[in-house]
């Protein structure tokens, strides 16, 4: 973060390495640590006090752990084995205790000699290894260990109270070896250049960066750790918010064509034919969007809304306003099913206003065209011509819209549906199709807690629709524990039959298709730990549909829908379901977003524990879209105490998407807020937790905005500029550039 020559020094060099070449290699390959600066910013995960023992009672299975404990007992056994047939095999069993529990360590063969001499009863040490079970008892086999010897001068209290940093480690490199490496480079922390402006640091009472680095790696007291963490959280929040503030500032300098709707044009005609009044929320958000569209720099707005809160209506009115002002609007959908669905519903809502240039079209009408990858050549040529001439005011499509062949007459607004499904490059390519940068509206039905939105989409202004339109019905959700209570699953299928008998329809959702290609047993793919644990692949659409037709739903019209069907077949299935000809649709998550069949009132999600919280919330939003109440049943075989069941319980207990996204985030962590994988695997945030540190993020955003307004190029803050360059390596810089 604070790249100055001493901290930029690589850990591994051909001539002189800072660390031993083997250690430096493991750090690079397994922890991504390449320079002295990287190593200094590899912070301890937690701290142990030597005297305070570490809860052996709570050890997690199959994880690498580091424990501080005392040897209670050590016994050497001899045994006969294939390798040592004459009873010469040796096994050392050491029992360690920490007051909360006991744990067995085992060493075999030649590996017993050193621990046999060193691990005498009463000895304290740090032990690291992978927790396994043998004879129903937890054990560590061949753990690495480091004896904890107090300095003879040191009093017992001082020794026992010393804080031992425990670092995020790997099987190849134990925590204390990382600690030793950090102690080697710690003196260079004095040369760390402080990215926080002095006024900000002093005004908030934060310690200087070199001091924070010393205190986090070598704390004397718990107060030292607090001081260091407070300071380092501010670094992460502030540098990230400066990056986003500079991005917003740069966008505000770009020119765009202001788009103001004509007084008695298409939008007025559309509003006049609506059979209902817009909710207060829809009117408020529309005003925010129209104000942005009227300015001469590009709008960048994120429209968040609960499933079914009427985002599409708000987006359509924005598109009509732009068409009124002489421009064109493009809506990008993540799948063909969704693009077709949007196209159908927009044409239906607009009626004769969508029949521009046709007989029976209204005077202010425009054309609404669909453009997807699987269209026939003639239909495609026609659509492309309508776009180039400007005949079509609105185009709805998949990423086929991004291809080079697609030319617009005057692209004024891009609406991206389900932001998280689109790569940054794709959005950028579409934005490049305007004569000047078009306005951008990004919609998501996965509600994002405010702080996450501020951190991940900090360059977008946010509008939130949190009111459901009149006539939307509540959805009841229940967990169906199929393994514990099989009769609950039988009752679930009875409920589906009841809904159909009452004239309604139902969805059954499965995690897998079930043809040869995606069958994990046939494809030879490595199974995940979860699959291994459950010893069966996730339920599949084709199998479940077959079982239901022959069994509990016999006599009902059941159809399947999944992503590998031909687009025309998918469209035909959706049309039959929308028309009420099909009773039950067994589908994968292709129905997750935007599919709108108001008569569908029930949904059964099989293996619900295989889906994420946000995904379950999205799926559930497909029912209860009409006047009849919705029912969502989450079927799982996971045991009651498992985290998966708790997650499902949370989904069943609330319909508030913002609350659920907080739960989801707390479980998954934030992911790399800047990088493209927002999955929790890799994160540029080391001490900052997006949910817990809301206040710091909000304050850092204000400070960053003020700093960038006064000095956009950061010429007066070279240290901050350096920190920014380190945070935004080339890939991330491009990622932010493209937004």
């Amino acid at each position: 973060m604070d790249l100055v020559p001493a901290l930029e020094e690589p850990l591994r060099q051909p001539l002189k390495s800072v660390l031993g070449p083997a250690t430096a290699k493991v750090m690079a390959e397994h922890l991504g640590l390449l320079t002295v600066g990287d190593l200094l910013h590899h912070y301890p995960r937690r701290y142990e006090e030597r005297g305070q023992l570490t809860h052996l009672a709570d050890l997690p299975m199959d994880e690498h752990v580091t424990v501080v404990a005392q040897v209670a007992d050590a016994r050497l056994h001899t045994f006969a084995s294939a390798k040592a047939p004459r009873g010469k095999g040796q096994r050392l069993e050491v029992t360690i205790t920490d007051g909360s529990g006991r744990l067995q360590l085992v060493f075999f063969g030649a590996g017993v000699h050193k621990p046999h001499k060193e691990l005498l009863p009463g000895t304290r040490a740090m032990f690291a290894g992978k927790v396994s079970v043998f004879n129903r008892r937890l054990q560590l086999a061949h753990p690495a260990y480091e004896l904890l010897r107090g300095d003879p001068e040191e009093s017992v209290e001082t020794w026992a109270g010393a804080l031992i940093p425990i670092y995020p480690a790997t099987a190849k490199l134990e925590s204390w070896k990382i600690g030793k490496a950090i102690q080697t480079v710690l003196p260079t922390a004095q040369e760390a250049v402080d990215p926080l402006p002095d006024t900000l640091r002093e005004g908030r009472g934060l310690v200087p960066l070199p001091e924070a680095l010393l205190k986090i790696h070598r704390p004397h007291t718990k107060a030292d750790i607090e001081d260091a963490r407070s300071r380092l959280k501010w670094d992460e929040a502030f540098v990230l918010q400066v990056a986003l503030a500079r991005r917003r500032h740069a966008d505000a300098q770009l020119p765009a064509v202001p788009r103001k709707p004509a007084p008695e044009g298409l939008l007025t005609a559309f509003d006049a034919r609506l059979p209902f009044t817009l909710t207060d929320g829809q009117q408020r958000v529309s005003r925010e969007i129209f104000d942005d569209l009227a300015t001469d720099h590009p709008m960048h707005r994120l429209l968040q809304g609960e499933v079914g809160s009427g985002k599409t209506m708000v987006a359509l009115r924005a598109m009509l306003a732009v068409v009124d002002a002489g421009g064109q609007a493009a809506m990008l959908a993540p799948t063909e099913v969704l693009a077709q669905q949007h196209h159908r519903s927009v044409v239906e809502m607009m009626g004769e206003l969508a029949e521009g240039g046709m007989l029976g079209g209204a005077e202010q009408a425009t054309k609404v065209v669909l453009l997807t990858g699987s269209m026939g050549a003639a239909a495609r040529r026609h659509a492309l011509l309508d776009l180039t001439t400007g005949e079509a005011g609105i185009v709805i499509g998949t990423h086929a819209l991004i291809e080079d062949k697609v030319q617009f007459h005057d692209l004024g607004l891009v609406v991206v549906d389900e932001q998280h499904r689109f790569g940054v490059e794709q959005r950028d390519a579409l934005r490049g199709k305007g004569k000047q940068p078009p306005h951008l509206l990004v919609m998501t039905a996965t509600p994002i807690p405010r702080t996450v939105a501020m951190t991940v989409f900090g360059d977008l202004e946010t509008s939130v629709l949190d009111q459901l339109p009149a006539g939307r019905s509540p959805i009841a959700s229940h967990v169906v524990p199929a393994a514990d209570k099989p009769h609950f699953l039988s009752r679930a299928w009875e409920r589906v039959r009841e809904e159909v008998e009452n004239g309604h329809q139902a969805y059954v959702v499965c995690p897998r298709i079930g043809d040869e290609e995606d069958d994990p047993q046939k494809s030879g793919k490595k199974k995940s730990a979860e699959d291994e644990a459950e010893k069966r692949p996730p339920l599949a659409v084709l199998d479940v549909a077959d079982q239901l037709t022959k069994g509990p739903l016999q006599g009902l019209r059941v159809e399947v829908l999944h992503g590998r069907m031909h687009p025309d077949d998918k469209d035909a299935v959706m049309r039959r379901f929308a028309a009420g000809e099909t009773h039950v649709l067994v589908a994968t998550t292709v129905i997750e977003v935007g599919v709108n069949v108001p008569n569908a009132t029930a949904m059964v999600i099989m293996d619900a524990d295989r889906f994420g919280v946000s995904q379950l919330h999205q799926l559930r939003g497909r029912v209860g879209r009409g006047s009849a109440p919705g029912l969502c049943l989450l079927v799982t075989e996971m045991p009651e105490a498992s985290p998966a069941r708790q997650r499902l319980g949370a989904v069943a207990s609330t319909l508030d998407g913002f609350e659920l996204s907080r739960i989801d985030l707390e479980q998954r962590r934030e992911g790399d807020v800047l990088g493209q994988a927002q999955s929790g695997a890799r994160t540029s945030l080391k001490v900052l937790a997006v949910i817990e540190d809301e206040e710091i993020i909000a304050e850092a955003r204000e400070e960053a905005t003020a700093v960038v307004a006064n000095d956009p190029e950061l010429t007066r803050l070279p240290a901050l500029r350096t920190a920014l360059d380190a945070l935004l390596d080339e890939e991330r810089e491009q990622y932010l550039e493209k937004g």
Side-chain angles (χ1 to χ4, degrees):
M1 215 185 239
D2 13 73
L3 295 185
V4 295
L7 273 71
E8 271 183 53
E9 201 174 335
L11 295 171
R12 189 173 167 204
Q13 298 171 41
L15 299 173
K16 109 183 152 50
S17 285
V18 175
L19 307 172
T23 307
K25 183 172 187 247
V26 172
M27 284 190 172
E29 288 175 4
H30 293 273
L31 295 167
L33 306 174
L34 305 172
T35 65
V36 170
D38 291 344
L39 187 51
L40 286 175
H41 286 292
H42 187 71
Y43 307 132
R45 175 178 286 152
R46 57 191 170 84
Y47 300 84
E48 291 292 0
E49 288 178 48
R50 282 171 168 154
Q52 172 204 5
L53 299 167
T54 58
H55 296 296
L56 292 179
D58 304 333
L59 287 182
M61 272 296 296
D62 278 339
E63 276 192 32
H64 272 276
V65 296
T66 302
V67 295
V68 177
Q70 183 170 336
V71 177
D73 177 42
R75 295 178 185 205
L76 191 62
H77 302 274
T78 54
F79 60 91
S81 71
K83 286 186 180 171
R86 289 197 298 278
K88 295 275 179 70
Q90 290 191 309
R91 181 174 78 247
L92 176 66
E93 290 179 2
V94 178
T95 305
I96 58 173
T97 176
D98 68 351
S100 76
R102 295 165 85 82
L103 179 66
Q104 184 149 12
L105 316 177
V106 288
F107 301 88
F108 292 100
V112 304
H113 305 308
K114 186 167 174 272
H116 190 217
K117 284 206 297 270
E118 293 182 335
L119 297 179
L120 304 171
T123 309
R124 283 174 182 278
M126 270 197 290
F127 301 91
K130 192 173 184 181
V131 182
S132 57
V133 172
F134 180 71
N135 276 349
R136 298 198 167 179
R137 288 166 64 194
L138 292 183
Q139 70 167 26
L140 295 181
H142 282 286
Y145 63 88
E146 176 91 335
L147 300 178
L148 296 174
R149 299 185 176 91
D151 183 324
E153 301 295 304
E154 222 173 2
S155 74
V156 175
E157 287 77 25
T158 322
W159 186 85
L163 293 160
I164 303 170
I166 305 290
Y167 290 92
T170 75
K172 297 249 181 354
L173 199 62
E174 292 88 11
S175 167
W176 56 83
K177 288 186 180 161
I178 296 171
K180 281 181 177 167
I182 287 172
Q183 296 303 334
T184 310
V185 300
L186 203 49
T188 53
Q190 296 300 342
E191 299 180 46
V193 175
D194 203 322
L196 292 191
D198 293 347
T199 48
L200 188 159
R201 188 170 54 73
E202 287 156 12
R204 295 191 175 270
L206 299 167
V207 300
L209 182 60
E211 189 183 328
L213 290 170
L214 284 171
K215 282 183 166 175
I216 200 148
H217 291 299
R218 198 185 277 163
H220 294 298
T221 62
K222 290 184 177 165
D224 282 354
I225 300 170
E226 273 316 297
D227 283 354
R229 288 179 67 83
S230 305
R231 163 59 217 249
L232 295 166
K233 281 182 176 190
W234 255 94
D235 270 21
E236 288 183 5
F238 180 70
V239 176
L240 176 57
Q241 291 299 343
V242 167
L244 294 167
R246 291 187 69 206
R247 170 76 205 283
R248 286 194 300 275
H249 186 272
D251 282 342
Q253 314 308 310
L254 288 172
V257 180
R259 310 280 180 174
K260 292 182 183 159
E264 290 299 317
L266 190 54
L267 181 62
T268 315
F270 175 75
D271 285 349
R273 53 170 286 133
L274 281 179
F276 52 82
T277 50
L278 298 174
T279 64
D280 296 346
Q282 285 175 317
Q283 289 176 354
R284 183 193 74 250
V285 170
S286 287
R287 278 195 298 276
E288 290 170 355
I289 292 171
F290 292 158
D291 289 348
D292 280 0
L293 290 173
T295 60
D296 53 10
H297 57 84
M299 163 173 87
H300 281 121
R301 193 166 277 283
L302 174 70
L303 173 57
Q304 293 199 60
E306 274 295 3
V307 178
S309 57
K311 290 182 302 299
T312 313
M313 173 60 70
V314 169
L316 176 55
R317 292 184 76 239
M319 289 159 73
L320 296 174
V322 168
V323 175
D324 258 354
Q328 290 170 293
M331 183 187 241
L332 224 65
T335 64
E336 293 212 350
V337 166
L338 193 51
Q340 288 161 340
Q341 177 101 22
H342 274 320
H343 181 255
R344 259 203 304 281
S345 60
V346 164
V347 170
E348 273 167 30
M349 284 194 278
M350 286 176 64
E352 73 269 18
L353 296 175
E355 295 169 0
M358 293 185 233
L359 276 174
E363 190 186 335
Q364 304 96 330
T366 185
K367 235 185 205 179
V368 180
V369 300
L370 175 69
L371 192 62
T372 64
S374 65
M375 281 170 74
R380 190 179 169 75
R381 250 197 326 276
H382 213 86
L384 289 172
L385 188 65
D386 284 345
L387 286 182
T388 315
T389 59
E391 185 94 357
I394 295 177
V395 58
I396 296 168
T398 54
H399 44 261
L401 281 176
I402 297 163
E403 291 171 12
D404 292 342
K405 292 193 204 75
V406 180
Q407 299 295 324
F408 288 87
H409 177 64
D410 178 14
L411 181 61
L413 170 67
V414 174
V415 178
V416 178
D417 190 18
E418 283 312 313
Q419 136 80 24
H420 62 283
R421 300 289 189 88
F422 269 105
V424 175
E425 290 78 11
Q426 294 169 310
R427 290 211 310 271
D428 190 46
L430 190 56
R431 267 172 38 187
K433 291 195 175 287
K435 295 190 175 73
Q436 283 189 330
H439 299 282
L440 176 69
L441 180 65
V442 169
M443 300 199 294
T444 176
T446 309
I448 304 163
R450 175 174 157 271
T451 39
V452 185
M454 269 175 17
T455 314
V456 183
F457 302 113
D459 58 313
L460 299 173
E461 297 301 323
T462 306
S463 295
V464 177
L465 276 174
D466 43 16
Q467 244 181 317
L468 288 185
R472 288 299 302 257
S473 304
I475 305 169
S477 306
H478 304 284
V479 177
V480 176
D484 314 350
K485 299 178 177 164
H487 59 287
F488 276 36
L489 184 57
S490 312
R491 177 72 190 117
W493 301 126
E494 283 170 25
R495 284 291 291 113
V496 170
R497 289 195 87 95
E498 285 163 19
E499 289 298 310
V500 172
E501 279 158 18
N502 290 332
H504 298 301
Q505 294 158 275
Y507 296 100
V508 176
V509 182
C510 305
R512 207 162 56 87
I513 297 171
D515 54 11
E516 297 292 317
E517 277 181 68
D518 81 340
D519 187 333
Q521 286 170 334
K522 294 189 179 122
S523 66
K525 276 187 202 149
K526 192 170 177 300
K527 291 201 201 103
S528 72
E530 200 176 345
D531 283 354
E532 282 294 344
E534 291 170 18
K535 293 287 183 281
R536 74 161 175 78
L539 290 171
V541 166
L542 302 176
D543 306 339
V544 169
D546 188 47
Q547 288 159 16
L548 291 176
T549 326
K550 292 174 181 162
L553 301 186
Q554 199 170 4
L556 301 187
R557 285 192 297 280
V558 177
E559 288 210 64
V560 299
L561 180 71
H562 59 75
R564 274 208 289 276
M565 287 164 64
H566 187 279
D568 291 349
D569 297 340
K570 275 194 275 197
D571 197 38
V573 168
M574 271 319 296
R575 279 175 190 275
R576 285 195 292 275
F577 190 64
E581 294 165 24
T582 306
H583 295 138
V584 178
L585 187 63
V586 183
T588 56
T589 53
V590 289
I591 60 150
E592 177 188 349
V593 186
V595 171
N596 185 22
V597 179
N599 192 43
T601 52
M603 175 176 284
V604 181
I605 302 178
M606 307 303 290
D607 279 343
D609 47 272
R610 308 288 178 117
F611 299 96
V613 169
S614 298
Q615 206 174 22
L616 290 170
H617 183 58
Q618 284 274 27
L619 286 165
R620 169 170 66 185
R622 301 302 111 218
V623 294
R625 300 178 77 84
S627 51
L631 172 69
C632 178
L633 301 173
L634 307 167
V635 179
T636 178
E637 292 187 359
M638 296 304 266
E640 197 163 353
S642 62
R645 271 285 280 281
Q646 289 163 4
R647 206 168 64 225
L648 295 179
V651 174
S653 67
T654 177
L655 290 172
D656 180 342
F658 285 90
E659 181 52 37
L660 287 174
S661 64
R662 288 179 80 94
I663 293 168
D664 197 19
L665 201 82
E666 280 161 2
Q667 289 184 339
R668 288 186 311 126
R669 293 282 296 151
E670 293 79 21
D672 189 343
V673 168
L674 284 180
Q676 304 200 26
Q678 285 163 18
S679 63
R682 171 174 163 264
T683 173
S684 55
L685 301 182
K686 295 188 175 74
V687 283
L688 191 72
V690 169
I691 289 284
E692 285 162 36
D693 299 318
E694 288 192 45
E695 279 177 31
I696 294 178
I697 291 169
E699 289 169 18
R701 181 175 170 129
E702 278 174 35
E703 294 273 12
T705 307
V707 163
V708 171
N710 289 330
D711 181 5
E713 292 305 311
L714 307 178
T715 40
R716 296 191 292 283
L717 297 166
L720 175 57
R721 178 84 231 202
T722 308
L724 207 58
D725 292 343
L727 176 76
L728 301 177
D729 55 37
E730 206 169 313
E731 173 206 350
R732 288 180 180 160
E733 181 75 81
Q734 285 176 349
Y735 179 82
L736 275 181
E737 283 293 301
K738 291 172 178 170

